Amino acid sequence: MEPISRRTAVTLGGLGLAGTAIGGAGLLWTAQPGFTPFGEPVARSAFRAKSGEPLRQPTEQRSRDGVLEVTLDASPGRMRIGGRNATTLGYNGGLPGPTLRVRAGDRLAVTLRNGLTDPTNLHTHGLHVSPEGNSDNPFVVVEPGDSFDYEFRLPADHPPGLYWYHPHHHGVAAGQVFGGLYGAIVVDDPLPIPVTRERVLVISDLTLDSAGNLTRSTVAERMHGREGELVLVNGQLKPSVDIRSGERERWRIVNACASRYLRLRLDGQELHLLGLDSGRFAKPEKVDEVMLAPGNRADLLVTASEGSTALRAVPYDRGSDGMMGGGRGSSLAEVTLATVTVEGADAGAGDTADSLPAIPRQATPVDLRGATVTARREFVFEMGMGGMMGGGGMGFTINGREFDGGRVDTTVQGGSVEEWTLTNASQMDHPVHLHVWPMQVVERVGRAVDSVLWQDVVNVPARSAVRVRVAFTGFTGKTVYHCHILDHEDNGMMGVIDARAAN
Ligand code: C2O
Ligand code: CU
Ligand code: CU
């Protein structure tokens, strides 16, 4: 992709995103070469009603001999979305960026080039890697025109699963993710799970104006958390998925939306959840729906039986910010994300139920419920008037304070286990995220969780509390915890944690 010249770039409002007015030949992002269709084509049915183009897979970069070296170019560019020309952001000219496939013990080296008009950086969401130096350090700042060499070393016992990467520069994270900067990271299973095929589904949303440019966010959207009018799967609007009856697919789904909650359903098909975020369940769980807050991932088995259906995000009320003239999100409307057609006679009676493939036992999930807790803390998430430097907006705070990168809010002892109570004192949900160390959810809204549930984004519903346990093992250093409604994070709902080496 050719970069858009500074001369033609216009700054889009407070976002500082580069929009464009490109004439003539233009600089169309060629989405196609960046994407490869998955597997062999599947025959189309004659009565197949209007559905979109087949779901593509993002380009994939795979580690070899323990190393994956990639360059990620973050820049604006033109591409096609839902049949229209659009100007968005993207990594390497695509939306989503390439899927990075690595294994436990690998070294992932990423050269990040900033072709944006604002500072940026890179976060490897969910990876259990060092938060220091040129590893997963959220305090790194890469100025426009500069580049930075990241290096992430995955421990030999890193959990397999689905992770993702996105920018994390405080103040512009929501706009950059919303604009198109995200991609999946897969840490492969040591032993593959036998399925017919595997797909990565990166779900994101954005809003384009009639000229195909990203719209500016309003104050109300930045308070509530912006939700896009177009909800995309791998950058595609309502793509189609064809499966044959009796086949079993593994869908690795990322909620890369800046603020939108995804309560996913695929009615008529049998679904088994292998895990959420990096947390693999002890055994697959049969589900009817999967709830993904922003930042969450699902590892889902789909066992196909004949019929047409749709992957839908059904309404979820994430509350109100109480602001006049706004406040309620479009998570309240139902969205069709993809159409799914399953053809062919069933391979055999009773083939779907209770016949899961032999899932190799990777590792029994650790359970901290019996662990010795060395500290208990409470974090109160609040939204109040009079914040944002008295600018009349709303203040987004944790324990009464807005984010200050120069301050350490929480100091923990490396190697210790802590119990945190995440209290939501506001009228809206906040999906709470901690870098580097996943959280085991032990109590939700007053009820003990009776299974081993690990997540790195834990939704805390409005006016409620969730209790988690965290083992601060493996790494020391400073990093952050925050609300993963990225507008809330940009508005101050983030704190600094320092894990100190035991002495
Ligand atoms: Cu996915 Cu701190 O972020
Ligand atoms: Cu993260
Ligand atoms: Cu929030």
Side-chain angles (χ1 to χ4, degrees), residues 123 125 164 166 168 295 433 435 480 482 484 486 494:
H123 168 49
H125 180 126
W164 63 300
H166 63 79
H168 214 291
H433 175 47
H435 287 205
V480 292
H482 60 90
H484 217 291
L486 292 174
M494 176 154 73

PDB file of all heavy atoms in Angstrom, residues 123 125 164 166 168 295 433 435 480 482 484 486 494, ligand 1:
ATOM      1  N   HIS A 123       0.000  -2.858  21.903  1.00  0.00           N
ATOM      2  CA  HIS A 123      -0.252  -3.688  23.088  1.00  0.00           C
ATOM      3  C   HIS A 123      -0.643  -5.076  22.620  1.00  0.00           C
ATOM      4  O   HIS A 123      -1.433  -5.221  21.686  1.00  0.00           O
ATOM      5  CB  HIS A 123      -1.379  -3.050  23.904  1.00  0.00           C
ATOM      6  CG  HIS A 123      -1.929  -3.937  24.984  1.00  0.00           C
ATOM      7  ND1 HIS A 123      -1.135  -4.603  25.888  1.00  0.00           N
ATOM      8  CD2 HIS A 123      -3.211  -4.251  25.299  1.00  0.00           C
ATOM      9  CE1 HIS A 123      -1.916  -5.304  26.710  1.00  0.00           C
ATOM     10  NE2 HIS A 123      -3.171  -5.110  26.374  1.00  0.00           N
ATOM     11  N   HIS A 125      -2.676  -7.701  23.751  1.00  0.00           N
ATOM     12  CA  HIS A 125      -3.726  -7.910  24.747  1.00  0.00           C
ATOM     13  C   HIS A 125      -3.827  -9.383  25.171  1.00  0.00           C
ATOM     14  O   HIS A 125      -4.077 -10.253  24.344  1.00  0.00           O
ATOM     15  CB  HIS A 125      -5.062  -7.430  24.169  1.00  0.00           C
ATOM     16  CG  HIS A 125      -6.210  -7.585  25.100  1.00  0.00           C
ATOM     17  ND1 HIS A 125      -7.043  -6.549  25.452  1.00  0.00           N
ATOM     18  CD2 HIS A 125      -6.673  -8.662  25.779  1.00  0.00           C
ATOM     19  CE1 HIS A 125      -7.961  -6.993  26.294  1.00  0.00           C
ATOM     20  NE2 HIS A 125      -7.767  -8.285  26.509  1.00  0.00           N
ATOM     21  N   TRP A 164      -4.963 -10.638  21.057  1.00  0.00           N
ATOM     22  CA  TRP A 164      -5.025  -9.670  19.964  1.00  0.00           C
ATOM     23  C   TRP A 164      -4.120  -8.484  20.230  1.00  0.00           C
ATOM     24  O   TRP A 164      -3.622  -8.334  21.343  1.00  0.00           O
ATOM     25  CB  TRP A 164      -6.460  -9.260  19.645  1.00  0.00           C
ATOM     26  CG  TRP A 164      -7.263  -8.550  20.698  1.00  0.00           C
ATOM     27  CD1 TRP A 164      -7.601  -8.994  21.950  1.00  0.00           C
ATOM     28  CD2 TRP A 164      -7.871  -7.250  20.567  1.00  0.00           C
ATOM     29  NE1 TRP A 164      -8.387  -8.070  22.590  1.00  0.00           N
ATOM     30  CE2 TRP A 164      -8.560  -6.990  21.773  1.00  0.00           C
ATOM     31  CE3 TRP A 164      -7.910  -6.290  19.559  1.00  0.00           C
ATOM     32  CZ2 TRP A 164      -9.287  -5.806  21.992  1.00  0.00           C
ATOM     33  CZ3 TRP A 164      -8.630  -5.123  19.776  1.00  0.00           C
ATOM     34  CH2 TRP A 164      -9.313  -4.888  20.977  1.00  0.00           C
ATOM     35  N   HIS A 166      -3.459  -4.177  19.571  1.00  0.00           N
ATOM     36  CA  HIS A 166      -4.104  -2.904  19.232  1.00  0.00           C
ATOM     37  C   HIS A 166      -3.300  -1.772  19.850  1.00  0.00           C
ATOM     38  O   HIS A 166      -2.482  -2.007  20.733  1.00  0.00           O
ATOM     39  CB  HIS A 166      -5.566  -2.904  19.714  1.00  0.00           C
ATOM     40  CG  HIS A 166      -5.776  -3.012  21.196  1.00  0.00           C
ATOM     41  ND1 HIS A 166      -5.639  -1.941  22.048  1.00  0.00           N
ATOM     42  CD2 HIS A 166      -6.104  -4.070  21.991  1.00  0.00           C
ATOM     43  CE1 HIS A 166      -5.909  -2.334  23.297  1.00  0.00           C
ATOM     44  NE2 HIS A 166      -6.174  -3.621  23.297  1.00  0.00           N
ATOM     45  N   HIS A 168      -2.422   1.538  22.175  1.00  0.00           N
ATOM     46  CA  HIS A 168      -2.753   1.791  23.576  1.00  0.00           C
ATOM     47  C   HIS A 168      -2.273   3.143  24.054  1.00  0.00           C
ATOM     48  O   HIS A 168      -1.994   3.328  25.232  1.00  0.00           O
ATOM     49  CB  HIS A 168      -2.139   0.683  24.441  1.00  0.00           C
ATOM     50  CG  HIS A 168      -2.953   0.314  25.631  1.00  0.00           C
ATOM     51  ND1 HIS A 168      -3.127   1.151  26.716  1.00  0.00           N
ATOM     52  CD2 HIS A 168      -3.658  -0.799  25.902  1.00  0.00           C
ATOM     53  CE1 HIS A 168      -3.895   0.546  27.603  1.00  0.00           C
ATOM     54  NE2 HIS A 168      -4.247  -0.636  27.129  1.00  0.00           N
ATOM     55  N   GLY A 295     -12.892  -6.456  24.070  1.00  0.00           N
ATOM     56  CA  GLY A 295     -11.609  -7.046  24.464  1.00  0.00           C
ATOM     57  C   GLY A 295     -11.666  -8.543  24.703  1.00  0.00           C
ATOM     58  O   GLY A 295     -10.651  -9.226  24.625  1.00  0.00           O
ATOM     59  N   HIS A 433     -10.153  -4.644  32.686  1.00  0.00           N
ATOM     60  CA  HIS A 433      -9.032  -5.375  32.076  1.00  0.00           C
ATOM     61  C   HIS A 433      -7.739  -5.108  32.833  1.00  0.00           C
ATOM     62  O   HIS A 433      -7.467  -3.985  33.216  1.00  0.00           O
ATOM     63  CB  HIS A 433      -8.887  -4.914  30.619  1.00  0.00           C
ATOM     64  CG  HIS A 433      -7.712  -5.479  29.898  1.00  0.00           C
ATOM     65  ND1 HIS A 433      -7.385  -6.818  29.921  1.00  0.00           N
ATOM     66  CD2 HIS A 433      -6.774  -4.891  29.113  1.00  0.00           C
ATOM     67  CE1 HIS A 433      -6.306  -7.013  29.180  1.00  0.00           C
ATOM     68  NE2 HIS A 433      -5.906  -5.864  28.687  1.00  0.00           N
ATOM     69  N   HIS A 435      -3.566  -5.921  32.427  1.00  0.00           N
ATOM     70  CA  HIS A 435      -2.525  -6.417  31.521  1.00  0.00           C
ATOM     71  C   HIS A 435      -1.692  -7.514  32.200  1.00  0.00           C
ATOM     72  O   HIS A 435      -1.612  -7.553  33.427  1.00  0.00           O
ATOM     73  CB  HIS A 435      -1.581  -5.272  31.127  1.00  0.00           C
ATOM     74  CG  HIS A 435      -2.187  -4.296  30.168  1.00  0.00           C
ATOM     75  ND1 HIS A 435      -1.433  -3.517  29.324  1.00  0.00           N
ATOM     76  CD2 HIS A 435      -3.473  -3.965  29.905  1.00  0.00           C
ATOM     77  CE1 HIS A 435      -2.228  -2.750  28.590  1.00  0.00           C
ATOM     78  NE2 HIS A 435      -3.474  -2.997  28.933  1.00  0.00           N
ATOM     79  N   VAL A 480      -0.751  -1.470  33.387  1.00  0.00           N
ATOM     80  CA  VAL A 480      -2.017  -0.793  33.672  1.00  0.00           C
ATOM     81  C   VAL A 480      -3.196  -1.757  33.793  1.00  0.00           C
ATOM     82  O   VAL A 480      -3.142  -2.900  33.340  1.00  0.00           O
ATOM     83  CB  VAL A 480      -2.364   0.242  32.568  1.00  0.00           C
ATOM     84  CG1 VAL A 480      -1.384   1.402  32.583  1.00  0.00           C
ATOM     85  CG2 VAL A 480      -2.407  -0.411  31.188  1.00  0.00           C
ATOM     86  N   HIS A 482      -7.590  -1.145  33.397  1.00  0.00           N
ATOM     87  CA  HIS A 482      -8.491  -0.090  32.913  1.00  0.00           C
ATOM     88  C   HIS A 482      -9.808  -0.661  32.431  1.00  0.00           C
ATOM     89  O   HIS A 482      -9.958  -1.876  32.260  1.00  0.00           O
ATOM     90  CB  HIS A 482      -7.829   0.692  31.770  1.00  0.00           C
ATOM     91  CG  HIS A 482      -7.457  -0.144  30.575  1.00  0.00           C
ATOM     92  ND1 HIS A 482      -8.302  -0.371  29.513  1.00  0.00           N
ATOM     93  CD2 HIS A 482      -6.311  -0.823  30.282  1.00  0.00           C
ATOM     94  CE1 HIS A 482      -7.692  -1.130  28.615  1.00  0.00           C
ATOM     95  NE2 HIS A 482      -6.487  -1.437  29.052  1.00  0.00           N
ATOM     96  N   HIS A 484     -12.230  -1.441  29.479  1.00  0.00           N
ATOM     97  CA  HIS A 484     -11.952  -1.687  28.060  1.00  0.00           C
ATOM     98  C   HIS A 484     -12.984  -1.068  27.127  1.00  0.00           C
ATOM     99  O   HIS A 484     -12.962  -1.304  25.918  1.00  0.00           O
ATOM    100  CB  HIS A 484     -11.747  -3.173  27.771  1.00  0.00           C
ATOM    101  CG  HIS A 484     -10.690  -3.416  26.729  1.00  0.00           C
ATOM    102  ND1 HIS A 484     -10.862  -3.086  25.397  1.00  0.00           N
ATOM    103  CD2 HIS A 484      -9.427  -3.898  26.828  1.00  0.00           C
ATOM    104  CE1 HIS A 484      -9.763  -3.402  24.724  1.00  0.00           C
ATOM    105  NE2 HIS A 484      -8.878  -3.891  25.570  1.00  0.00           N
ATOM    106  N   LEU A 486     -12.983   1.738  25.393  1.00  0.00           N
ATOM    107  CA  LEU A 486     -11.738   2.500  25.222  1.00  0.00           C
ATOM    108  C   LEU A 486     -11.935   4.000  25.392  1.00  0.00           C
ATOM    109  O   LEU A 486     -11.003   4.707  25.757  1.00  0.00           O
ATOM    110  CB  LEU A 486     -11.088   2.146  23.887  1.00  0.00           C
ATOM    111  CG  LEU A 486     -10.569   0.688  23.855  1.00  0.00           C
ATOM    112  CD1 LEU A 486     -10.076   0.336  22.456  1.00  0.00           C
ATOM    113  CD2 LEU A 486      -9.460   0.457  24.878  1.00  0.00           C
ATOM    114  N   MET A 494      -8.327   4.427  34.174  1.00  0.00           N
ATOM    115  CA  MET A 494      -7.161   3.547  34.064  1.00  0.00           C
ATOM    116  C   MET A 494      -6.245   3.838  35.241  1.00  0.00           C
ATOM    117  O   MET A 494      -6.144   4.973  35.700  1.00  0.00           O
ATOM    118  CB  MET A 494      -6.437   3.798  32.729  1.00  0.00           C
ATOM    119  CG  MET A 494      -5.142   3.014  32.543  1.00  0.00           C
ATOM    120  SD  MET A 494      -4.736   2.719  30.789  1.00  0.00           S
ATOM    121  CE  MET A 494      -4.214   4.336  30.259  1.00  0.00           C
TER     122      MET A 494
HETATM  123 CU1  C2O B   1      -6.919  -4.506  25.062  1.00  0.00          CU
HETATM  124 CU2  C2O B   1      -5.059  -2.287  27.892  1.00  0.00          CU
HETATM  125  O1  C2O B   1      -6.006  -3.352  26.426  1.00  0.00           O
END
